[in-house]
Amino acid sequence: MVSLSWHAPATLAAMLFIIGLIGLLARRSLIFVLMSIEIMLNAAGLLFITAGMRWGNPQGQIMFIFVINLAGAELALGLILLLRLRNRLTTLDGDAANRLRDVQA
Amino acid sequence: MSLSGYDIVFYAASAFALLTTAIAITRANPLYGLLNFVLSLLGMAVVFYTLGAPFAAALEVIVYAGAIMVLFLFVVMMLRLDRTAIARESGWLTSSIWIIPILSGAALAGELLYGLLGSTGPAGAHHIVSPQAVGLKLFTTDLAAVELASMLLLAGLIGAYHLGRPARARD
């Protein structure tokens, strides 16, 4: 059991969220965009766990379970769209997905 | 302030998670990025354990690192990436594309840290929340949220099934 205040894990959550945000903004490959979204969801889950630790409330871990649930559903749809986009385009460039009309069907 | 053994483990796991996450988003090869992210999730599981959430730590390893990221790895292997794709990927990774994201991320970091560290709320006691308490709360008072979560998963399943069918069957 840590003897730290809740500030340390909350700061860790903020830093992980920002690393995910930087990845989301900087990368063009859709694989890394999906991975950055997962990093940000995981950081939000850490903040829920931190709050649950601070107040001794199981709701924090319950919300973390729902965050995992959401991440799983989101990733399943994101990955199947990625597979279909890979069959249509030749690259996984997120910018090329803006020009789907130009692609020969 | 003296550091207990758990504090040292917390700091070590935090540094490990931050480092592997930073490595993960800067790789050109998606497989190396994903494997580094799996390592980061294992570090996060240790962080959860030291924060008194053993059930969440187990879920992080089994569900997140074990199931979700392995699904991600399998799909990336099905994408038929080759050497030219990775070369194009590293061609996009010039140092100039990081400037604006890092500046805006630093602005957000300043605001978040100002709000978090500037708050003078009581540090408070620490509590270990047992899996029993989580399960009891989840399946009695929060049952409606469980039903909503199952409907979300069902919607994801139907959506993935529909989008995954071959084009002829979909029309």
Side-chain angles (χ1 to χ4, degrees):
Chain A
M1 201 63 216
V2 288
S3 60
L4 305 158
S5 76
W6 53 272
H7 292 93
T11 307
L12 174 66
M15 286 164 77
L16 280 172
F17 186 87
I18 284 161
I19 291 178
L21 183 68
I22 289 173
L24 182 67
L25 291 174
R27 299 301 299 254
R28 285 173 70 180
S29 164
L30 289 171
I31 299 172
F32 283 93
V33 168
L34 277 178
M35 200 172 79
S36 301
I37 293 172
E38 295 296 310
I39 292 172
M40 291 161 77
L41 280 173
N42 201 33
L46 173 62
L47 201 56
F48 277 118
I49 300 273
T50 305
M53 171 205 80
R54 165 66 183 82
W55 300 105
N57 196 330
Q59 298 275 10
Q61 287 184 57
I62 290 175
M63 281 309 293
F64 176 72
I65 293 171
F66 292 147
V67 167
I68 282 191
N69 204 317
L70 178 70
E74 175 258 340
L75 195 69
L77 284 177
L79 286 175
I80 198 78
L81 285 173
L82 200 67
L83 272 175
R84 291 192 56 76
L85 205 64
R86 177 66 172 78
N87 290 336
R88 185 60 63 91
L89 305 171
T90 49
T91 72
L92 284 172
D93 181 5
D95 291 358
N98 286 337
R99 301 186 292 270
L100 272 183
R101 189 175 271 253
D102 298 339
V103 178
Q104 298 297 320
Chain B
M1 190 181 81
S2 64
L3 288 174
S4 72
Y6 270 113
D7 292 342
I8 296 168
V9 172
F10 171 80
Y11 278 122
S14 304
F16 180 75
L18 280 175
L19 181 70
T20 46
T21 310
I23 292 173
I25 64 161
T26 50
R27 293 304 94 180
N29 191 332
L31 280 182
Y32 293 159
L34 283 172
L35 289 174
N36 274 296
F37 184 43
V38 170
L39 284 181
S40 148
L41 289 175
L42 295 179
M44 291 287 284
V46 176
V47 168
F48 288 166
Y49 184 76
T50 58
L51 291 179
F55 186 51
L59 279 183
E60 181 91 352
V61 174
I62 297 170
V63 179
Y64 223 127
I68 297 181
M69 295 323 288
V70 169
L71 173 77
F72 207 149
L73 271 176
F74 280 161
V75 171
V76 169
M77 288 173 185
M78 282 168 66
L79 287 175
R80 300 191 304 271
L81 296 174
D82 47 11
R83 207 164 287 159
T84 57
I86 291 167
R88 186 170 52 227
E89 191 69 38
S90 52
W92 287 336
L93 284 180
T94 56
S95 58
S96 63
I97 64 161
W98 296 100
I99 294 173
I100 291 176
I102 284 178
L103 284 181
S104 53
L108 183 62
E111 290 172 8
L112 281 178
L113 292 183
Y114 178 75
L116 279 176
L117 302 181
S119 74
T120 53
H126 294 84
H127 309 270
I128 294 178
V129 180
S130 69
Q132 188 188 13
V134 176
L136 206 59
K137 185 107 178 148
L138 186 62
F139 288 111
T140 53
T141 54
D142 289 4
L143 207 52
V146 176
E147 297 296 333
L148 283 176
S150 66
M151 283 169 68
L152 176 71
L153 283 180
L154 181 66
L157 177 69
I158 293 173
Y161 175 70
H162 174 71
L163 289 170
R165 278 191 300 172
R168 201 173 299 115
R170 210 173 321 106
D171 295 331

